[in-house]
C-alpha cells in the first residue's frame, strides 16, 4: 500500500512539473511563462500577494550555458515581465523562479524548454458565405510559413446577446475553415477561434475577436394564436373584433410581412384578405376563421377558430387565487356533458373589469385538453379588479364560464368614490345600484336610483327649430286676422306723423304736365334759382275767373302718361307763371294747353296758398 501511494505521489509531482505547463491553457499555476510566437520573447506572469512589493524574475540555463543565471526586475506592484528574444537561446532548457525584494522566493522553480511554450497570436476570422449555409475561415498572419509546425484550431459560437458558448469538436474543424449546420434560421450569432501548435506542446492562443453573422430566413413554424371579442355596435350593427398574437422570433424565422385571413359568414365561399398585425373587425355573423403568418420564404399552417356555436358545455367550478401578489392561478373542472365530451383545448381569458375598452386590456392563454389549471402571468396592477373566464373550445364552437372577479393584491377599504358610466343610450331611463365586494364575496346591494339620460343634441336642435317655426306661423295667422284692430291701435297710440299720408309733390298732376310740356325749362315744384331775387308785389288785380275757365279746369282730361325723365343738366332755368296769364282776357287753358291740360283736383287745391299767404298778410 505504501509503494502504491509513493507511486501516485511521484506521478502527481511529474504532472505538476512537466504536464500542467504545456498544452493546457486552462490550468492556472503560481508562475506561468510562454513564448509570444515562434520568434517572440518570453512573457512570465505570477500571483502577487503584496501589491507594493518589487519582484525579480530569475531564469537559469540548464543545457547549453549551464548554471548561467539572469534576472529581470519588474516595476513596483507589477506581476509580470517580458524577456526579450535576444536574451534567450532556442531549444534551451531554463529554470525560472520569482523572488521578492528581500530575496525571499515566492514561487516554485519552473523548468521549461523554449520551443515547447510557444503561444500563437489569435487568428483572424472572416465569412465566406451565409446562404444557404454559413462558412467561416481564418488565418494567422503572424505565424511564420516556414515554421515546422502548423496550427490546430478550435471554435466556439453562441447566439448574440446570450451567455453560454457552444464548442465545436476539434476533429470536425478543417485546418482553416468550418461550415456551420443546424443553426436557427434568421438568428444573429457570434463565433470565436483559438489555435495551438499541432503537436500540442505549447499554449492555446487567446480567443479571437467575435465575428458576427445572421442566418438566412426560413418558412415560419407553428400556428397563430387567434381569439375574438364581441364589439358593441357603433353604427347600428354589432361587429366581431378578431385579435391575434404576433409570432415569437423563434417561430417566425424571419420578418413577418402580413397575415392571410379567410372567414366564412354563411356565403357560398370564404372571403380572403391580407392584414398587418394584429386585429381586424369582421361581420358579427362570421362563423369560422382561418389565419396564417407570412414571411419572405413561406407561411404557417392556418390556425382555425370556430364560432358556429357559442352555447356548448363550459368548464365548471372556476376558481381564481392570487399567487405572491403578482400572478393569478386559475383552476376549473371539465363539463359533465357526456354528448360533447371534454373540449379539445381550453382558453383562459382575462381583462380589467373597469377598462373603457375590453380589447385594450384583454389577454389570454391556451391549455391542452386534460389540463385543468393555468398560471396567469403578466403586468397585473394591484388593487385593480380583473374578470377571468375559462372557455372550452370544440371543433364546432365553444362554451364560456361565468366571469370571475379577481385581484392580484387587494387594498384596505375602497378609495374610489366616483365612476363614469359609458355606452348609455340617449333619452333612456336606467336603474342604478351598487354593491361592495372582497375576496370573501359580494355584499348587499344599495337602494335603487332612477335616472334618465338627456336626449341627443340633434333631437334638441330639431325640437328648437320646430318651436320657432310654430311661433312664426302663429304670428302670421294672428297678423292676418287682427290687422284692422292692430292698425286702429297704432293710430291711437303712435303720433300722427307715423301713420298719416303726406302729399308727394313730385307726383302732382300739374307737375307731371309741366314736365311733359317743357322738360328743358322744368326745374321741379320746389326748385328755385338761387341767384334770382324775389320781386316785390306792387299791384294786384282781383277778378272773378270766367265760367269757361273753371269749366275748363274741371273738364281737363286725366294724365295717363308716365312721369317723364328729368333732364340731366343742372344749368337750365324755368319761367315763373304770370298773373296776367290767368286773367279773364287770356286764352282759355283748353286752347293754350290743347287736349293735354292737367287736372287740378280738390286734393291739390287744398294745398295751394291762400290769398292772404300770397299777399303776405298772414
Amino acid at each position: 500500500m505504501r509503494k502504491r501511494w509513493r507511486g501516485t505521489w511521484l506521478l502527481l509531482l511529474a504532472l505538476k512539473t512537466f504536464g500542467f505547463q504545456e498544452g493546457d491553457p486552462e490550468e492556472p499555476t503560481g508562475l506561468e511563462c510562454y513564448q509570444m510566437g515562434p520568434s517572440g520573447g518570453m512573457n512570465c506572469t505570477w500571483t502577487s500577494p503584496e501589491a507594493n512589493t518589487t519582484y525579480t524574475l530569475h531564469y537559469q540555463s540548464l543545457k547549453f550555458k549551464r548554471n548561467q543565471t539572469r534576472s529581470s526586475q519588474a516595476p513596483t506592484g507589477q506581476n509580470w515581465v517580458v524577456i526579450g528574444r535576444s536574451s534567450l537561446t532556442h531549444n534551451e532548457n531554463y529554470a525560472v523562479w520569482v523572488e521578492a525584494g528581500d530575496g525571499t522566493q515566492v514561487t516554485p522553480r519552473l523548468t521549461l524548454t523554449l520551443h515547447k511554450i510557444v503561444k500563437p497570436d489569435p487568428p483572424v476570422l472572416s465569412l465566406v458565405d451565409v446562404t444557404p449555409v454559413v462558412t467561416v475561415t481564418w488565418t494567422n498572419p503572424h505565424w511564420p510559413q516556414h515554421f515546422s509546425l502548423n496550427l490546430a484550431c478550435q471554435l466556439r459560437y453562441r447566439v448574440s446577446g446570450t451567455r453560454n458558448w457552444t464548442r465545436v469538436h476539434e476533429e470536425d474543424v478543417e485546418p482553416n475553415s468550418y461550415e456551420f449546420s443546424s443553426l436557427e434560421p434568421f438568428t444573429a450569432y457570434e463565433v470565436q477561434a483559438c489555435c495551438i501548435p499541432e503537436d500540442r506542446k505549447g499554449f492555446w492562443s487567446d480567443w479571437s475577436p467575435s465575428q458576427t453573422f445572421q442566418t438566412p430566413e426560413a418558412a415560419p413554424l407553428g400556428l397563430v394564436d387567434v381569439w375574438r371579442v364581441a364589439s358593441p355596435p357603433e353604427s347600428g350593427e354589432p361587429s366581431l373584433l378578431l385579435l391575434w398574437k404576433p409570432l415569437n422570433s423563434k417561430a417566425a424565422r424571419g420578418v413577418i410581412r402580413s397575415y392571410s385571413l379567410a372567414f366564412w359568414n354563411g356565403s357560398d365561399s370564404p372571403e380572403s384578405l391580407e392584414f398587418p398585425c394584429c386585429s381586424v373587425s369582421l361581420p358579427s355573423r362570421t362563423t369560422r376563421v382561418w389565419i396564417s403568418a407570412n414571411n419572405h420564404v413561406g407561411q404557417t399552417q392556418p390556425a382555425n377558430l370556430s364560432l358556429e356555436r357559442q352555447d356548448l358545455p363550459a368548464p365548471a367550478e372556476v376558481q381564481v387565487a392570487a399567487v405572491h401578489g403578482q400572478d393569478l392561478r386559475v383552476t376549473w373542472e371539465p363539463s359533465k356533458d357526456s354528448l360533447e365530451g371534454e373540449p379539445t383545448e381550453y382558453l383562459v381569458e382575462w381583462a380589467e373589469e373597469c377598462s373603457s375598452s375590453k380589447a385594450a386590456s384583454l389577454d389570454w392563454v391556451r391549455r391542452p385538453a386534460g389540463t385543468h389549471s393555468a398560471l396567469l402571468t403578466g403586468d397585473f396592477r394591484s388593487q385593480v379588479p380583473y374578470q377571468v373566464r375559462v372557455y372550452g373550445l370544440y371543433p364546432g364552437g365553444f362554451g364560456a364560464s361565468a366571469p370571475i372577479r379577481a385581484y392580484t393584491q387587494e387594498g384596505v377599504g375602497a378609495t374610489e368614490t366616483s365612476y363614469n358610466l359609458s355606452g348609455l343610450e340617449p333619452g333612456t331611463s336606467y336603474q342604478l345600484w351598487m354593491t361592495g365586494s372582497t375576496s370573501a364575496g359580494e355584499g348587499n346591494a344599495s337602494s335603487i336610483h332612477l335616472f334618465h339620460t338627456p336626449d341627443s343634441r340633434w333631437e334638441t336642435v330639431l325640437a328648437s327649430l320646430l318651436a320657432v317655426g310654430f311661433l312664426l306661423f302663429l304670428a302670421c295667422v294672428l297678423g292676418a286676422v287682427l290687422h284692422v284692430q292692430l292698425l286702429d291701435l297704432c293710430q291711437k297710440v303712435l303720433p300722427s306723423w307715423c301713420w298719416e299720408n303726406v302729399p308727394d309733390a313730385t307726383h302732382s298732376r300739374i307737375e307731371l304736365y309741366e314736365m311733359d310740356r317743357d322738360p328743358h325749362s322744368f326745374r321741379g315744384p320746389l326748385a328755385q334759382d338761387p341767384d334770382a331775387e324775389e320781386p316785390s308785389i306792387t299791384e294786384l288785380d282781383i277778378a272773378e275767373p270766367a265760367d269757361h275757365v273753371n269749366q275748363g279746369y274741371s273738364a281737363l282730361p286725366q294724365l295717363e302718361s308716365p312721369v317723364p325723365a328729368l333732364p340731366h343738366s343742372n344749368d337750365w332755368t324755368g319761367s315763373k307763371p304770370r298773373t296776367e296769364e290767368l286773367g279773364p282776357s287770356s286764352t282759355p287753358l283748353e286752347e293754350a294747353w290743347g287736349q293735354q291740360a292737367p287736372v287740378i283736383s280738390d286734393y291739390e287745391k287744398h294745398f295751394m296758398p291762400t290769398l292772404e299767404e300770397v299777399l303776405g298778410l298772414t
Side-chain angles (χ1 to χ4, degrees):
M1 180 68 68
R2 181 177 298 175
K3 293 182 178 180
R4 182 180 299 176
W5 281 109
R6 182 179 298 175
T8 304
W9 182 84
L10 290 175
L11 177 62
L12 291 175
L13 181 61
L15 290 175
K16 180 176 179 60
T17 305
F18 299 103
F20 288 163
Q21 292 83 9
E22 302 177 2
D24 192 354
E26 306 295 336
E27 181 66 26
T29 60
L31 175 62
E32 183 180 74
C33 296
Y34 63 87
Q35 184 181 6
M36 298 182 297
S39 58
M42 184 175 64
N43 186 311
C44 293
T45 306
W46 60 90
T47 57
S48 176
E50 298 292 337
N52 297 324
T53 302
T54 301
Y55 296 95
T56 301
L57 175 73
H58 302 276
Y59 56 102
Q60 183 182 25
S61 297
L62 301 178
K63 183 177 181 181
F64 299 118
K65 299 178 181 181
R66 187 179 298 273
N67 297 327
Q68 181 182 0
T69 303
R70 297 184 180 183
S71 302
S72 178
Q73 184 176 354
T76 302
Q78 181 174 301
N79 64 337
W80 59 271
V81 294
V82 175
I83 308 299
R85 181 65 180 84
S86 59
S87 301
L88 300 172
T89 303
H90 185 63
N91 290 332
E92 175 67 279
N93 297 332
Y94 290 96
V96 183
W97 68 95
V98 178
E99 295 180 356
D102 57 358
T104 304
Q105 183 175 334
V106 296
T107 65
R109 294 170 67 92
L110 178 65
T111 303
L112 51 85
T113 302
L114 195 61
H115 71 276
K116 294 182 179 180
I117 61 170
V118 177
K119 180 178 180 181
D121 292 329
V124 177
L125 303 183
S126 61
L127 295 176
V128 175
D129 196 7
V130 294
T131 305
V133 294
V134 179
T135 302
V136 178
T137 62
W138 58 88
T139 60
N140 199 316
H142 300 289
W143 189 259
Q145 299 295 330
H146 62 276
F147 198 71
S148 59
L149 295 176
N150 292 323
L151 295 176
C153 299
Q154 66 176 3
L155 276 74
R156 67 180 184 179
Y157 66 94
R158 65 182 177 183
V159 176
S160 297
T162 60
R163 184 176 181 180
N164 297 326
W165 292 91
T166 300
R167 288 185 180 245
V168 179
H169 296 292
E170 295 180 34
E171 57 269 18
D172 297 332
V173 179
E174 298 293 333
N176 294 309
S177 66
Y178 179 75
E179 185 178 286
F180 284 94
S181 60
S182 304
L183 296 179
E184 293 293 333
F186 201 67
T187 304
Y189 286 91
E190 55 180 312
V191 59
Q192 295 178 343
C194 66
C195 299
I196 193 173
E198 61 182 356
D199 62 355
R200 300 299 195 274
K201 294 180 179 180
F203 290 86
W204 286 95
S205 69
D206 294 331
W207 289 104
S208 67
S210 294
Q211 175 68 51
T212 60
F213 61 90
Q214 181 168 290
T215 54
E217 290 187 72
L221 299 176
L223 297 175
V224 179
D225 192 357
V226 60
W227 189 229
R228 76 21 152 199
V229 59
S231 299
E234 296 181 358
S235 59
E237 182 180 356
S239 62
L240 179 70
L241 182 61
L242 194 70
L243 305 174
W244 63 90
K245 296 180 179 180
L247 289 179
N248 58 49
S249 59
K250 187 174 183 179
R253 309 210 299 177
V255 178
I256 299 300
R257 303 179 183 276
S258 64
Y259 291 85
S260 298
L261 178 67
F263 63 95
W264 191 70
N265 54 6
S267 58
D268 295 336
S269 60
E271 300 183 31
S272 299
L273 300 170
E274 293 283 333
F275 286 96
C277 195
C278 287
S279 65
V280 64
S281 293
L282 299 177
S284 60
R285 58 183 180 276
T286 301
T287 57
R288 191 172 291 273
V289 176
W290 299 268
I291 185 172
S292 58
N294 309 312
N295 66 8
H296 183 69
V297 179
Q299 64 178 186
T300 63
Q301 294 294 323
N304 176 28
L305 178 63
S306 177
L307 306 173
E308 295 182 31
R309 294 184 58 187
Q310 303 183 14
D311 57 349
L312 294 176
E317 301 181 18
V318 178
Q319 296 183 356
V320 184
V323 179
H324 305 302
Q326 58 184 4
D327 301 324
L328 295 175
R329 179 170 294 279
V330 185
T331 59
W332 63 90
E333 293 294 331
S335 62
K336 306 300 182 181
D337 194 310
S338 59
L339 296 179
E340 298 292 342
E342 189 171 1
T344 58
E345 191 179 19
Y346 290 101
L347 186 145
V348 183
E349 169 194 279
W350 70 93
E352 291 187 12
E353 184 176 301
C354 300
S355 176
S356 58
S357 174
K358 181 180 179 181
S361 61
L362 183 70
D363 202 354
W364 68 90
V365 295
R366 295 176 181 268
R367 290 294 178 265
T371 305
H372 300 150
S373 65
L375 180 64
L376 308 184
T377 60
D379 189 17
F380 290 104
R381 297 190 296 167
S382 62
Q383 304 181 24
V384 173
Y386 289 86
Q387 276 196 353
V388 181
R389 285 177 182 263
V390 181
Y391 294 81
L393 305 184
Y394 299 85
F398 61 85
S401 69
I404 303 295
R405 180 185 291 117
Y407 294 83
T408 56
Q409 185 176 359
E410 295 187 63
V412 180
T415 58
E416 297 291 337
T417 58
S418 64
Y419 181 75
N420 294 326
L421 300 177
S422 60
L424 301 180
E425 296 292 334
T428 307
S429 297
Y430 289 91
Q431 293 182 349
L432 174 67
W433 66 93
M434 296 182 63
T435 60
S437 301
T438 63
S439 58
E442 185 175 6
N444 296 328
S446 65
S447 58
I448 298 177
H449 174 69
L450 302 177
F451 67 94
H452 187 84
T453 57
D455 295 334
S456 61
R457 179 175 297 180
W458 69 268
E459 293 178 350
T460 304
V461 172
L462 180 60
S464 302
L465 292 176
L466 292 176
V468 172
F470 175 76
L471 292 177
L472 291 176
F473 174 76
L474 183 62
C476 293
V477 172
L478 292 177
V481 174
L482 303 176
H483 71 283
V484 178
Q485 291 82 350
L486 293 176
L487 290 177
D488 184 62
L489 179 62
C490 291
Q491 291 179 0
K492 293 180 179 179
V493 175
L494 299 177
S496 59
W497 55 267
C498 294
W499 51 270
E500 282 187 345
N501 291 328
V502 178
D504 187 2
T506 59
H507 291 79
S508 172
R509 295 187 181 275
I510 296 179
E511 178 185 3
L512 294 177
Y513 180 77
E514 285 290 334
M515 292 175 60
D516 185 51
R517 186 172 65 88
D518 191 3
H520 297 288
S521 60
F522 180 73
R523 297 183 61 189
L526 302 178
Q528 191 173 16
D529 190 356
D531 297 332
E533 296 183 359
E534 184 71 21
S536 58
I537 300 176
T538 59
E539 184 178 357
L540 179 65
D541 293 334
I542 301 175
E544 289 291 335
D547 294 335
H548 65 277
V549 174
N550 295 331
Q551 293 176 1
Y553 276 37
S554 62
L556 290 175
Q558 299 294 323
L559 292 178
E560 297 180 359
S561 60
V563 179
L566 295 176
H568 297 282
S569 177
N570 294 328
D571 58 352
W572 61 278
T573 57
S575 60
K576 298 182 181 180
R578 294 173 296 177
T579 56
E580 59 269 25
E581 293 181 357
L582 300 179
S585 59
S586 302
T587 306
L589 290 177
E590 290 84 349
E591 297 178 4
W593 291 353
Q595 298 299 323
Q596 299 297 328
V599 176
I600 302 176
S601 63
D602 292 338
Y603 176 77
E604 292 172 330
K605 291 179 181 179
H606 175 72
F607 292 99
M608 289 183 178
T610 62
L611 179 59
E612 290 80 1
E613 292 174 343
V614 173
L615 296 178
L617 301 179
T618 59

